[in-house]
Amino acid sequence: MPVPEGASDAGPARASARSRRFPAVTQDTARPEGAGRAIPGAVSTPARQWPMLSVLAATAAGLLTTAVGHPRIGCLVIGIALIGAAVLRRALPSVGMLAVRSRFTDMVTYGVLGVAITLLALVMEPKPWLHVPFLETAVRFTVR
């Protein structure tokens, strides 16, 4: 049986189905992926975001320590803050805006950066706290 002009062959059920495509013009902003709360909504926003704020505060303390003339200590604080972020991301079910990507990706990213910064702080000249024998050979080879 032919479908009359202007009528849909799927009927009223098809007309009410919503499209899964993104709209061409947005009406609102999307909620950030990491905006989940670490504490219920009755508490103020800074208290809900304590994991992110603690990592930011430790990083700011490390930057300030570096700026006042103690680069090794400052870099150690920054590295430890990032390692702490990896631990928080693993241990807590909800970490607020500290969650940027998947849990595994966040843990690996924070952990690798934290360990790298900490190791660089330990081998920093003058008078490194950690002696890595092949580093001197590598530097001599590349500087020649």
Side-chain angles (χ1 to χ4, degrees), residues 38 46-56 85 88 92 94-96 98:
R48 287 187 308 222
Q49 297 296 335
W50 72 266
M52 181 66 173
L53 291 175
S54 63
V55 172
L56 284 176
L88 286 173
L92 298 178
S94 176
V95 289
L98 192 60

Side-chain angles (χ1 to χ4, degrees), residues 87-101:
V87 170
L88 286 173
R89 186 68 172 108
R90 173 66 178 118
L92 298 178
S94 176
V95 289
M97 289 181 10
L98 192 60
V100 178
R101 297 157 292 265

Side-chain angles (χ1 to χ4, degrees), residues 58-71:
T59 304
L63 289 172
L64 183 64
T65 306
T66 301
V68 297
H70 302 286

Side-chain angles (χ1 to χ4, degrees), residues 18 21-31:
R18 295 184 65 184
R21 298 180 70 192
F22 291 109
V25 178
T26 57
Q27 303 295 324
D28 197 6
T29 57
R31 182 171 180 241

Side-chain angles (χ1 to χ4, degrees), residues 98-122:
L98 192 60
V100 178
R101 297 157 292 265
S102 70
R103 184 179 304 265
F104 176 77
T105 305
D106 282 343
M107 286 174 17
V108 169
T109 304
Y110 294 144
V112 167
L113 288 174
V115 167
I117 291 172
T118 302
L119 286 176
L120 288 172
L122 292 175

Side-chain angles (χ1 to χ4, degrees), residues 117-136:
I117 291 172
T118 302
L119 286 176
L120 288 172
L122 292 175
V123 298
M124 186 182 294
E125 290 289 341
K127 300 178 188 169
W129 291 354
L130 177 68
H131 293 278
V132 182
F134 69 86
L135 285 181
E136 290 181 27

